[in-house]
Amino acid sequence: MQRFKEYKVIRVNENGCATVLLGASTLSTDILEKRLSEEARQGWQVVYMIVEQARFLLFWTRESVIVTLGRE
């Protein structure tokens, strides 16, 4: 297992407006891809990733991707 000198955790959320208007939505892979590409340009690598569903504005559920990044 590779060890990194520093770590950081980012959260990428699905659009809240789409959740409210459509009742359910999925996280845009384009948004996630863009964010991960930005982090990779700064030397970060994906270590671990999970998908979380959490309550949003009482009635809805919103999906988030939580990504742990590491770099040497």
Side-chain angles (χ1 to χ4, degrees):
M1 181 173 174
Q2 186 174 3
R3 301 277 182 201
F4 297 99
K5 291 183 181 175
E6 59 182 323
Y7 293 89
K8 84 173 176 178
V9 177
I10 61 170
R11 177 187 301 263
V12 180
N13 297 315
E14 75 176 286
N15 187 337
C17 292
T19 301
V20 171
L21 296 175
L22 301 175
S25 181
T26 58
L27 182 65
S28 169
T29 55
D30 292 337
I31 293 170
L32 182 59
E33 185 178 303
K34 182 179 177 184
R35 179 69 189 270
L36 291 177
S37 293
E38 289 173 13
E39 299 296 342
R41 280 191 286 277
Q42 297 173 22
W44 294 99
Q45 297 178 38
V46 174
V47 176
Y48 186 74
M49 183 182 329
I50 61 169
V51 177
E52 172 189 68
Q53 291 188 345
R55 184 173 299 277
F56 179 69
L57 295 178
L58 192 60
F59 298 109
W60 296 277
T61 303
R62 182 161 78 171
E63 194 172 82
S64 300
V65 175
I66 302 171
V67 184
T68 302
L69 303 167
R71 72 177 171 188
E72 296 179 10

